Structures are given as structure tokens and as C-alpha cells.
Amino acid sequence: MREKSILVIDDDKIILDSLCEFLSLEGFRASGAETLKGALAKLEKESYCLVLTDVNLPDGDGLELLDIIRRDYPQTVVIVITGYGTIDSAVKAIKQGAYDYLTKPIIDDELRLAVERAIQQQSLMSENESLRLQLERKHRLENIISHNYKMAKIFDLVEAVADSKITVLMAGPSGTGKSMLARAIHHRSSRHDKPFVEVSCGALPETLLESELFGHTRGSFTGAVNNKEGKFLAADGGTIFLDEIGNASPGLQAKLLRVLEDRQFEPVGSNKTTIVDTRIILASNRNLNDEVRQGRFREDLYYRINVVTIELPPLSERVGDVRLLAEHFLRMYSAQHSREKLGITDEAMEYMERYSWPGNIREIENIIERATLLSKSKFIGPDDLPETIKQEPSRQAKRYTPTSLKEALAGPEKDIIREALEANHWNRQATAKALQINRTTLFKKMKHYGLYAEAERLGLT
Ligand SMILES: Nc1ncnc2c1ncn2[C@@H]1O[C@H](COP(=O)(O)OP(=O)(O)O)[C@@H](O)[C@H]1O
Ligand SMILES: [Mg+2]
């Protein structure tokens, strides 16, 4: 492991040198500065886990330095050295975020102890920090790739509801990003440092699922040998994500209704009511409205759930995203498998843009990961793609029952223009060329169909 670096600042050269020498003997890499300016220059060049600073410096004071460190180098802990009888400035320093203070004359044992504790604190801090950064990087909305106007609206909605306790329903086919967005909502809320607990309601038989969610008491059913805490309780203070909610049995639906209404439930086999503060996000790849109509899903539960619904479009409705996603996953998996960054040939991209992606984003992700591993050259070509993608017949044109011809054509015309725009990354010149119309016509039609406004919203004009 690398030695820990400590920066010592004191204008008294003798004290400075002896402190540095002591710390070096203790096994640290110590460097010294005699002024505030000198300290700042060193901080810019190297990262220190600890700064020991005198309060009185010739060109400023240690508290000023403390402020700068708290702001610009939050991972560095600070110990302030105060002169004898200046306890006030020590108190001030602690209030301002110094980890500790030492008074002159400095006693070796005190210094050793203070440094040890500060370093411990610092490694805790930096661990938390790097964990937090990792998670953030993973769940940032910026990592959810899309240029699609529907997705842009969804991102706005996510931002708007994230930091509330509102129940959110994620709808859309499998692989469209429901779980990913549920996590993003949690990570954007003030609950982000509390648990995010995911339960699939399709994977377990009814009784097991009930005890999984609400917990059970010992002996409440065969096999229940111990008390068990349920996932709702585990998610107390945080978020529970109930996936495949369309599969919930009638019994479970009744229990869920109560939790949604009062955040209350009883563990299986118990009559003790538990109250939780849990944000609930649900997902279904079945159309719950249909399920209600068919009598399989409780209508009252549906209304409780259907407060804010985020409807994720299938990938086939965001053709323009195929290239973006392919390139995103390519970057991701080349890095993950420590491969040199690959490219994709135009031919392979054409196949992918023509394919209908029944497995949606999960499918393109898998295909790109596989291709990253398989590809023998610097480019992913058609040979690296599975046969199914290459056999796909071209898209079927949608059929409409016309009212007037003009009206009937308006819908498809808008869709075609939007698809063409997305496929050409909203470049109007390229789109006009692809559609073989002139740019003015395209511009007028975009205005007419509200596509120009969409482009503006996406910042693509
Ligand atoms: N817009 C997106 N940008 C980048 N990756 C995405 C996007 N949407 C989904 N993914 C990735 O695709 C995969 C499937 O998404 P997931 O959220 O599990 O779908 P669902 O829950 O709807 O089945 C996951 O690996 C997810 O990270
Ligand atoms: Mg999912």
C-alpha cells in the first residue's frame, strides 16, 4: 500500500521540520509549507489524506485554509494547531469542520494519537465517498441513454417525482429499463442512503411471497422454523420495488392494498401490526388495465398504484436509440472485459437498426456484450451478430382505417418523419435527404406536427 501523505503547515521552521521528521519516522510521507500560499500550491499538486496546520500563518490564517480544504478537498481531514491559551480558535476550527486540534507545545504521544484517529476517519470517509460515487455513476440519469422524445419526457417525470413518496408504476415490455429507472428514482431521492429492496412478485408461490414481503412468525406454516423479517421492513426508510406486480395473487393484492393505503401490515402468523415508512415503486410488463377488465387485478388496487405511471416505449419505437445504445454498451463492455475499444461496421449497424428487438434494451446489451467477446477484429461486423438479427424481414407498415385521406395520412406521416429524424440524430439536412424532400418542407412539417418543439426540448435544434 502507498504511504499516506500528510501536509504540515507552520511558519516556524524549527517546529515544521521537527513535525515532518516525527511523521516520517512514524511511516508517513510528510511535506511541509511555511505559508498559506505554499500550502495551496502543494494541495493542488498532490492529494493528502491529512493536513496539520498552524492557525497563525504569515499570509493568512489556518481557518481560511480549513475552509478551502473543506470546499475543494473534502476527502482531506484537517487537524489545527493552536498556540497556548487560544482555545477559542480551536473551538472555531472544530465548528468549521476541523477533525481535531492540538495545542502547542505539541507532545509526541498526543500527536501520534491524533494523527492515527484522523487517518482512520479519513479512510472511512474516502471509502464512503468512492462507494457513493460508484453508485451515482451507475444510477445517474445521464447513464440512461436516449435521444428519444418520449424518454426525455420520462426523465423529466423521474426528476419531478424522485424526491417524494409518491407511488410510481413502471409499465412497458420486458427489457425496456423499468428496473433501471426504479433504481434511478431511489438514487435521486433523499432516501438514497437507505435500502433499495427489489422483489419479483412472479418468481415465488403465494405463501412464500407473502412471507418474503411481510415476514412471518415462527411456526406460522410448515417450514417457518424462525421468525423472519420481511422485505417491507427491510426497506423501511428506503424504497421497495415490486416487480411483475401483475402476477400478484388475490390474497396478496388485498394485503398490498392495505400497505399502500396505510403503510401497515401484519407478518404471516402474527397479529401485531407493523408500520413502515417505505416508498413503493411497482412494475408490470402486463397491461394492468386489461388485467382489471378481465377481473384478474383488483380495481381499487389498480387505482392506488396508478398514481404516476411511467410508460417505457419498446426499443422498436426508438430506432434512433439503437446506435446510441450499441455504442454505449460497446464502450462499457470493452472496458469491462479490458478489451481495446471496438467499433461497429456500418453494415452491422444497419442490421441492428432494422431489427425489431423483441427483448428490447436487454437484448441489444446482450448482443453487444457477446460481440465484444467474439470479435476478432477491431470492428464488430455482421459475422459477430446472431443469425436472428440478420433474418429479420423489414418492418411491416402499419395499417390505418382512414377517415379522410389527409387525416389518415397525418399520423403515419408524423411517425415517419420522427423516425427519420431519430435515425439521423435529428440532423435536418440528412433527414430531408433521406426522405427526399427539401429542407423547407421538412421544417414546415416539423412545425406542423409539433416535432420542432420536441427537438427543442431535447436540445437538438
Ligand atoms: N436507456 C438505457 N440506457 C442504458 N441502459 C439501459 C437503458 N434502459 C435499460 N438499460 C439496460 O438494459 C437492461 C434491461 O433493463 P431493465 O431495467 O432490467 O429492464 P426491465 O426491468 O424493463 O426488464 C439493464 O441492463 C439496463 O441497465
Ligand atoms: Mg426488471
Side-chain angles (χ1 to χ4, degrees):
M1 212 178 75
R2 248 187 67 234
E3 309 167 83
K4 307 253 181 205
S5 298
I6 301 181
L7 178 63
V8 187
I9 305 126
D10 200 309
D11 57 335
D12 184 330
K13 187 93 173 72
I14 295 170
I15 294 186
L16 183 65
D17 286 346
S18 76
L19 281 174
C20 285
E21 197 191 309
F22 176 83
L23 291 168
S24 301
L25 287 173
E26 291 285 303
F28 297 105
R29 217 145 58 102
S31 41
E34 288 172 60
T35 59
L36 181 65
K37 235 171 119 196
L40 291 177
K42 291 213 158 169
L43 279 163
E44 246 172 54
K45 281 208 205 77
E46 205 185 319
S47 73
Y48 295 91
C49 54
L50 173 64
V51 167
L52 271 173
T53 182
D54 190 11
V55 174
N56 301 311
L57 299 172
D59 56 343
D61 73 35
L63 299 184
E64 220 177 308
L65 181 62
L66 175 61
D67 268 343
I68 297 172
I69 292 175
R70 298 266 38 86
R71 191 189 66 213
D72 296 342
Y73 309 95
Q75 299 218 39
T76 303
V77 284
V78 179
I79 296 177
V80 167
I81 304 166
T82 59
Y84 176 75
T86 52
I87 194 75
D88 276 356
S89 55
V91 172
K92 229 167 130 195
I94 299 286
K95 275 194 182 152
Q96 249 170 263
Y99 177 70
D100 206 349
Y101 71 92
L102 292 165
T103 37
K104 286 179 186 171
I106 294 171
I107 297 159
D108 284 358
D109 280 344
E110 271 178 21
L111 176 62
R112 188 179 292 121
L113 202 67
V115 168
E116 226 167 65
R117 285 176 37 206
I119 298 272
Q120 242 169 31
Q121 162 77 6
Q122 196 274 340
S123 58
L124 270 183
M125 254 166 54
S126 65
E127 234 169 63
N128 285 343
E129 182 72 1
S130 71
L131 271 179
R132 194 179 61 73
L133 283 178
Q134 251 176 30
L135 283 174
E136 251 180 24
R137 226 173 284 135
K138 212 158 168 226
H139 301 294
R140 252 185 347 196
L141 232 38
E142 290 76 42
N143 241 355
I144 304 182
I145 308 294
S146 188
H147 266 176
N148 181 271
Y149 77 102
K150 277 191 193 155
M151 292 300 293
K153 281 191 190 152
I154 288 174
F155 295 164
D156 286 350
L157 193 55
V158 164
E159 299 253 17
V161 300
D163 202 15
S164 68
K165 212 175 153 182
I166 264 183
T167 302
V168 180
L169 173 64
M170 303 280 172
S174 179
T176 47
K178 298 187 295 298
S179 303
M180 186 180 196
L181 271 186
R183 272 175 199 279
I185 291 180
H186 173 72
H187 283 276
R188 302 215 136 206
S189 75
S190 52
R191 299 169 171 262
H192 63 91
D193 49 359
K194 296 279 162 45
F196 176 86
V197 178
E198 199 169 342
V199 185
S200 169
C201 300
L204 291 172
E206 178 175 354
T207 40
L208 279 186
L209 182 57
E210 234 185 84
S211 95
E212 180 81 4
L213 287 172
F214 305 112
H216 63 240
T217 52
R218 202 177 130 193
S220 52
F221 56 89
T222 347
V225 284
N226 284 314
N227 286 341
K228 179 187 154 126
E229 173 187 282
K231 300 276 189 187
F232 264 101
L233 197 55
D236 197 13
T239 306
I240 194 164
F241 175 49
L242 303 174
D243 208 354
E244 296 177 60
I245 190 66
N247 293 336
S249 66
L252 185 63
Q253 288 181 29
K255 257 190 148 165
L256 282 175
L257 182 63
R258 175 134 172 268
V259 185
L260 277 158
E261 277 173 350
D262 308 325
R263 299 292 192 270
Q264 285 185 4
F265 59 87
E266 284 90 34
V268 179
S270 158
N271 49 21
K272 212 181 115 228
T273 301
T274 309
I275 300 176
V276 283
D277 166 32
T278 304
R279 205 256 178 89
I280 303 175
I281 303 180
L282 310 102
S284 172
N285 47 24
R286 297 196 195 158
N287 184 327
L288 286 184
N289 215 348
D290 286 350
E291 300 289 304
V292 170
R293 237 176 284 138
Q294 312 238 1
R296 282 193 297 258
F297 202 83
R298 287 179 73 128
E299 193 169 15
D300 47 5
L301 178 59
Y302 178 60
Y303 286 128
R304 274 283 164 192
I305 289 177
N306 193 13
V307 189
V308 172
T309 300
I310 294 183
E311 182 96 44
L312 285 154
L315 185 52
S316 59
E317 283 176 23
R318 15 176 171 154
V319 188
D321 281 352
V322 168
R323 176 183 294 268
L324 286 176
L325 287 164
E327 283 168 353
H328 164 70
F329 291 128
L330 198 61
R331 269 195 303 276
M332 195 168 114
Y333 285 108
S334 313
Q336 199 165 313
H337 299 302
S338 331
R339 290 271 185 138
E340 194 182 340
K341 196 186 159 289
L342 302 171
I344 303 177
T345 67
D346 288 346
E347 207 188 338
M349 194 61 92
E350 264 169 42
Y351 277 121
M352 288 197 283
E353 283 178 337
R354 233 181 295 145
Y355 181 58
S356 64
W357 301 107
N360 296 296
I361 302 173
R362 180 170 298 116
E363 189 179 6
I364 193 169
E365 180 171 358
N366 290 341
I367 282 172
I368 296 290
E369 181 176 20
R370 177 178 170 275
T372 315
L373 290 169
L374 288 183
S375 182
K376 299 256 182 298
S377 73
K378 279 192 148 193
F379 285 91
I380 289 174
D383 286 349
D384 303 312
L385 300 176
E387 284 309 312
T388 42
I389 287 195
K390 291 180 272 185
Q391 282 157 6
E392 179 87 357
S394 58
R395 270 163 215 286
Q396 291 274 313
K398 288 178 205 146
R399 300 212 170 270
Y400 285 79
T401 338
T403 43
S404 78
L405 184 61
K406 194 175 169 208
E407 241 174 76
L409 289 175
E413 185 173 58
K414 180 179 176 184
D415 287 346
I416 289 166
I417 292 175
R418 181 190 289 129
E419 278 189 31
L421 281 164
E422 283 178 1
N424 290 289
H425 304 282
W426 294 79
N427 178 316
R428 290 211 292 277
Q429 186 161 355
T431 307
K433 199 170 156 222
L435 293 172
Q436 296 178 29
I437 54 177
N438 69 42
R439 274 201 296 169
T440 325
T441 310
L442 175 65
F443 185 68
K444 279 189 189 150
K445 286 191 187 289
M446 282 176 73
K447 282 259 177 190
H448 177 68
Y449 291 125
L451 291 167
Y452 188 75
E454 277 171 24
E456 273 182 328
R457 277 173 45 85
L458 293 170
L460 296 169
T461 47

